[in-house]
Amino acid sequence: MMLWSVVLIPAIAGIAAMLPPMRAVRRSLLVATAVAHCGLVGWVCFATPVVSRDSWFAIDAPARIILAITSVLFLAAALYCVGYLRREEGRTTCDAEEGFLFHNEPEGIFVGCLLLFLASMSFVCICQHFGLLWVAVEATTLASAPLISFHRHHRSLEATWKYLLICSVGIAMALLGIFFLASAGRGHAPGLTLSGLVSSAAAMDPVWLKAAFILLLVGYGTKMGLAPMHTWLPDAHSEAPSVVSALLSGALLNCAFLGLLRGHTVLAAAGLGSFSGELLVLLGVFSMVLAAVFMIRQTDYKRMLAYSSIEHMGILAVGAGLGGVAATGAMLHAMNHSAVKGMLFLAAGNLLAVYRSKNTCDVQGVLEKLPVTGCLWFAGFLAITGSPPFGLFVSELTILKGALDGSHWVVAALYLAALGTAFVAMARIFLPMAYRLPDGSPHDGASSPGAREPVWSVLPPLALALAALVLGVYVPAPLWDAMRQAASALGVL
Amino acid sequence: MEVVSDILVVLLLLSNLYLLAASRITACIQTVALQAVVLGVIALTSAAGGLTLVVVSVTLATMAVKGLVLPWLLRRAIRGADVAREVEPFVGFTTSVLVGAGLLVISVVVAEPLCSSAPADVSAMMIPTSLFTILTGLFIVVTRRKALNQALGYLVLENGVYVFGSSLAIEEPFLVELGILLDVFVAVFVMGIIIFQINREFDHIDTDKLSVLKD
């Protein structure tokens, strides 16, 4: 029952928010649901995970971490959203880049879809049945597509169409993979539950299992943004409202990662863990290198953040594929990345609101004009590139340690090279934005009064930044245990 | 049983080839609707556990959604778009059909090792045909210019996966079947809405002109 409420509460609230009578309380409903969800998830997660054999719904160790990340990030996004919707109120808005007028989507649909999005992501986390997991992952696509086209103009429609089509087609491949799994398990496993498949995996036909994992990798990898199936990701992340980008990047990609981990778990139980692990590492390294290269000449800061997400998803795949310490590192990394990337996208939303441009050349002197957002932007740069004292440093180092321990020298070298390239590329973009003053303006700052920074738009990213900082300095022992359990649940420790 | 199964396979094959050759969008929509009926019958004839009430009702629901509701939705989405009558593919119709023949050969070759584990009373061509349907769907998504045709391609792909499931006699639980059907329905529903909005915004649904976002 507790488990179901995690899904049902946001789902019911989402449907309610679409109804016209709720207009006045819609935003309060959003925040209230986010708070309630957070509380419930806290309760569910602190209880010890009990997974009985053949149960369809349960929270196991990896799901616990992903669900907690999703819930916390959603709370931050919901608070930010209140300010965002207040700013966006009104029938027509002027486009930030090209200056034409457009309508926004009705607010009811936007808020409703946000809540349904939360419900579907929670559903992904509690599913232990592969068929239902597929249904849930596809549901996340459908709930989030209308969010991307909140600003109804030609670029957002293009991004939405690409997102919807590429992800739906990709996910259809995953369904085929699930049928392969079912065929492999025929006569051995009673159904498609995770525990059932794991316990009988050793008796299954390895060829079917391998084919199934490749299809799952294509399907959920598309959703997770692993290269070369990543093409929807930069478009969707750059055109969606920043608060939606934060959720897509920080929560949705993790959910797809969880789907991939489920497949990996079954293969590992069948003794094919090295096959699936190598594929994960291969795609992960490829994503990291490709994303780093694309970041070098990027002029759109939201696209740059999107490519950074691809890079970090690559890191997660590498960590999970290597197994052992690296898998623990991957869990920690998922947590850190979500906090930092959520914070950066929210800060990017503040920049977009003030400068009305996504081009890095137009956004300069942020530290002076928007002190708090500027500090966040600068701290976010340090954090996302894995500099100490932020959490990503710890998790990236843990994954590197895993690679070196297993003497995967090539992987370690490419990993470091990609991280280094990304650091340089991002420094070239972030630092001028933070420091350089617009040409010809006096340096005393008197001529450019700081813009107003509402509490709604500053506090949520600040809290996320603090979380990333704390995780870098001190990871509580219970949290380490939870992550170690999650890593060992993959079965490749 | 074998004869019925063979007839269904032939129908499915022909519908795929016709989709590759058809130049009018409405004809494509009708063909996809017909395909939905065929795959419903396939599911009914190959149901492993016999025709229980659950199987029949889920299959009928699938046929109704894919054969009636979704085609109606898609036709509605292009209503008023006079430019959207012709398919205008990137790859010509003749070439498409030739590629289709090649895809069929590929699916037969690929399916060879899979067929041995299929249940006995299903036509030997069922698995290659389902793979062929999947590949046809992918080909349509990639080579057709109109957003609506891409949505149709997605439906064909989905149909192929569905046939694959029923030809291997994989019995999904009721809840999962229903969830998959709901997802496909909502996916095409949302696609229809987006196509409608694209049409209103651009006065066309040519996806090759949706090319502002790139690196």
Side-chain angles (χ1 to χ4, degrees), chain A residues 10 35 74 116 140 163 174 187 194 222 231 241 246 251 260 280-281 293 301 313 315 325 358 380 430 478:
Chain A
V35 171
F74 190 86
L116 288 180
T140 59
Y163 173 63
L194 183 66
T222 308
T231 44
L260 213 46
L280 278 174
V281 171
V293 169
Y301 55 87
M313 286 305 119
I315 295 178
V325 183
K358 284 190 295 195
F430 270 100

Side-chain angles (χ1 to χ4, degrees), chain A residues 114 141 147 151 168 196 198 213 219 240 264 268 385 388 411 414 428 451 463-464:
Chain A
L114 265 181
T141 312
L147 298 176
H151 294 151
S168 296
V198 164
F213 183 76
H264 186 44
T385 50
V411 174
L414 285 172
R428 251 191 85 235
L464 291 173

Side-chain angles (χ1 to χ4, degrees), chain A residues 4 56-57 98 100 102 105 129-132 134-139 142 145-146 149 152-162 164-165 168-170 172-173 175-176 178-180 182-183 186 192 208 234-236 238-239 294 298 303 307 358, chain B residues 113-115 117-119 131 134 138 141 146-148 150-151 154 157-158 160-162 164-166 168-170 172-176 179-180 182-184 186-188 190-195 197-198 200-202 207 209-215:
Chain A
W4 275 108
W56 282 24
F57 305 102
E98 295 169 42
F100 55 82
F102 62 89
E105 202 169 64
H129 187 283
F130 273 86
L132 281 179
W134 184 88
V135 172
V137 174
E138 174 71 7
L142 303 175
S149 63
R152 283 202 178 140
H153 52 64
H154 63 104
R155 279 176 287 113
S156 75
L157 283 175
E158 179 183 339
T160 313
W161 181 253
K162 284 182 183 167
L164 199 55
L165 197 72
S168 296
V169 168
M173 292 292 119
L175 184 60
L176 193 60
I178 289 165
F179 285 157
F180 271 61
S183 186
R186 194 204 306 275
L192 275 171
W208 282 89
D235 295 347
S238 64
E239 290 310 320
F294 270 89
Q298 198 52 249
R303 281 187 93 82
Y307 276 110
K358 284 190 295 195
Chain B
L114 304 184
C115 289
S117 62
L131 288 183
I134 292 169
L138 276 179
V141 168
K146 297 259 190 273
L148 192 92
Q150 295 182 335
Y154 167 69
L157 172 73
E158 189 66 47
V161 175
Y162 185 88
F164 185 83
S166 48
L168 283 177
I170 291 163
E172 293 280 359
F174 177 64
L175 197 58
V176 177
I180 291 174
L182 185 70
D183 269 351
V184 173
V186 179
V188 178
V190 177
M191 281 181 192
I193 293 173
I194 305 284
I195 288 173
Q197 287 172 357
I198 290 176
R200 198 176 48 185
E201 177 77 31
F202 295 83
T207 48
K209 291 179 197 150
L210 298 179
S211 55
V212 184
L213 304 174
K214 61 184 171 214
D215 282 299

Side-chain angles (χ1 to χ4, degrees), chain A residues 42-60:
Chain A
W43 191 347
V44 169
C45 289
F46 278 113
T48 37
V50 185
V51 185
S52 60
R53 191 177 144 85
D54 297 334
S55 62
W56 282 24
F57 305 102
I59 296 225
D60 57 0

Side-chain angles (χ1 to χ4, degrees), chain A residues 408-455:
Chain A
H408 303 281
W409 306 116
V410 181
V411 174
L414 285 172
Y415 177 86
L416 284 177
L419 284 181
T421 314
F423 183 88
V424 176
M426 291 181 104
R428 251 191 85 235
I429 296 167
F430 270 100
L431 296 182
M433 284 176 77
Y435 283 117
R436 196 205 294 161
L437 291 168
D439 299 327
S441 75
H443 271 255
D444 52 14
S447 66
S448 60
R452 216 166 54 85
E453 292 181 274
V455 178

